[in-house]
Amino acid sequence: MATLCGWASIDERGSARGGSAGDQNGKEVKTGNWYDFGQKIVLRFKDRAKAKKAAQTMKTLCTGNYVGYDQNQRTTLYTEMQKVGWDASKLKTKCETDCSAMMSPVLRSAGISVSKDIYTGNMVAAIMGTGQFTKLTASKYTDSGDYLLTGDIMVNEGSHTIMALEDGAKAGGESSGSSSSGSSSSGASSGGALNKTPKWTGKVTADVLNVRTWAGEENAKLTSYPQIKNGAEVGVCAEVKDGDGDIWYYIQINGSKGQKYGFVHSAYIAKTSGGSAASSGGSHEKGDTVQFTGSRHYVSSDDTGAGSKATPCTAKITNKKDGTLHPYHLQGSGVYGWVNASDIK
């Protein structure tokens, strides 16, 4: 069964600009089955109540005749919705929008503020900047509507965007929030939650390290400890891979604001005691041919920067330095630099 979605399509003449205000043919803004328009990103509400409110607003706008499509007047829907307190059921003035501009008043109706001027090229950053969404990039979310949840926003950056108006057929095991981003974790309890008992102790190697609410730079910073400084000691409880395959540590912080938990990139934590860090050298040796599975390589084994983009490939170990942040130097078609031990097989 296809997943019902809503979106702004095209004007009554099949053009992007210059049509009459309002939906002239019932198809300028519309509901319809999920379809593939090249989407590579899904933005998911962390709050299910807000997700359902936004989806209801989208459905109301798409099934009425007050909203048409015109890129020249794309923000007039925002203006008219603002006049009626973001309540779509009260909209009685004909106005216009386009696919991305439509998302702003829809989100406003759910209490989430984004600029009326967003477009498909910047909307992902703008919406993620609210701290109320998780970015999903795994193929099961982008290649069909089966795993979508009500309110999920699909985006092909620079091109088009639509919203899911119902749960997909296989969405029963999905959840809101960052834990459903397609990332994998090591260190979960039997109940599925991450362990809160540190396995080992590490210290911060970056000058200042951001602490986030889940694995991935797109997620919001922790309110209590948004950043921790160089040399700070933390307890490492678990490992979680983000959507790009990078390893993040689930850490325990003990400070002036009490004991808290958050996520930091593994590249900026060096083991000081206890078990093994993800970046410690393993059984592979110089000269071995291995599979590189990561997405970053670094200019040195102790590089504390963000590294450069790399792609999975077969590679040769050309050097090894145990006990460093990135203990293996690889050379292959998609990688040439120092990498984390966890990124090779």
Side-chain angles (χ1 to χ4, degrees):
M1 181 178 175
T3 304
L4 185 67
C5 299
W7 66 92
S9 180
I10 200 72
D11 81 5
E12 69 274 16
R13 303 162 303 137
S15 300
R17 303 172 187 272
S20 300
D23 195 339
Q24 305 300 312
N25 59 11
K27 298 178 181 179
E28 294 187 53
V29 295
K30 60 191 294 185
T31 63
N33 291 337
W34 177 97
Y35 67 102
D36 184 352
F37 56 92
Q39 59 267 50
K40 298 298 180 185
I41 295 170
V42 172
L43 304 178
R44 175 164 293 176
F45 286 82
K46 293 180 178 179
D47 186 318
R48 297 313 308 154
K50 291 182 179 180
K52 291 177 181 178
K53 175 61 177 176
Q56 181 56 55
T57 296
M58 176 64 82
K59 188 173 183 179
T60 299
L61 295 175
C62 287
T63 54
N65 62 3
Y66 293 105
V67 185
Y69 189 102
D70 183 356
Q71 291 183 356
N72 286 339
Q73 302 181 71
R74 65 194 298 270
T75 62
T76 57
L77 169 61
Y78 183 99
T79 300
E80 296 303 324
M81 282 285 285
Q82 187 174 32
K83 292 177 182 178
V84 296
W86 313 111
D87 184 347
S89 68
K90 296 180 180 178
L91 180 67
K92 304 299 179 185
T93 302
K94 290 185 177 181
C95 53
E96 304 280 65
T97 192
D98 65 15
C99 64
S100 50
M102 194 173 191
M103 294 299 175
S104 182
V106 166
L107 295 183
R108 283 276 191 169
S109 75
I112 299 174
S113 176
V114 294
S115 169
K116 71 180 187 300
D117 298 314
I118 59 171
Y119 65 101
T120 52
N122 71 2
M123 64 180 292
V124 172
I127 293 174
M128 289 303 301
T130 66
Q132 300 199 50
F133 289 81
T134 297
K135 183 168 74 171
L136 312 176
T137 57
S139 60
K140 77 173 188 176
Y141 300 112
T142 61
D143 292 356
S144 82
D146 289 347
Y147 292 93
L148 295 177
L149 292 179
T150 300
D152 280 359
I153 301 171
M154 292 145 274
V155 185
N156 179 346
E157 291 187 285
S159 180
H160 190 41
T161 182
I162 70 178
M163 175 178 280
L165 302 182
E166 63 183 6
D167 291 352
K170 299 179 181 179
E174 293 296 311
S175 64
S176 61
S178 302
S179 60
S180 59
S181 64
S183 37
S184 59
S185 62
S186 172
S189 69
S190 58
L194 292 172
N195 289 319
K196 291 191 172 183
T197 301
K199 296 180 178 179
W200 49 274
T201 302
K203 68 176 181 179
V204 177
T205 59
D207 290 338
V208 177
L209 182 58
N210 292 326
V211 183
R212 301 194 180 273
T213 55
W214 192 260
E217 293 180 0
E218 71 273 12
N219 292 301
K221 293 179 183 178
L222 204 64
T223 301
S224 53
Y225 295 101
Q227 295 180 321
I228 47 180
K229 296 181 179 180
N230 181 272
E233 286 200 343
V234 297
V236 177
C237 305
E239 299 172 12
V240 175
K241 284 189 176 182
D242 65 16
D244 293 324
D246 289 347
I247 289 181
W248 290 62
Y249 290 145
Y250 182 53
I251 62 168
Q252 180 189 88
I253 306 170
N254 291 287
S256 59
K257 296 180 182 179
Q259 187 179 92
K260 304 292 182 181
Y261 295 83
F263 294 83
V264 296
H265 198 290
S266 63
Y268 310 114
I269 300 292
K271 181 175 70 73
T272 57
S273 65
S276 299
S279 57
S280 299
S283 58
H284 300 292
E285 300 296 339
K286 181 178 178 180
D288 288 353
T289 297
V290 297
Q291 279 299 125
F292 173 65
T293 61
S295 61
R296 288 284 186 272
H297 54 188
Y298 304 84
V299 297
S300 72
S301 60
D302 287 315
D303 184 357
T304 58
S308 302
K309 183 176 177 59
T311 56
C313 63
T314 300
K316 184 176 182 179
I317 299 175
T318 58
N319 204 349
K320 179 181 179 182
K321 292 184 179 180
D322 286 328
T324 58
L325 290 175
H326 322 293
Y328 293 105
H329 189 279
L330 299 187
Q331 181 174 347
S333 61
V335 60
Y336 186 83
W338 295 89
V339 305
N340 296 336
S342 57
D343 287 339
I344 65 173
K345 294 181 179 179

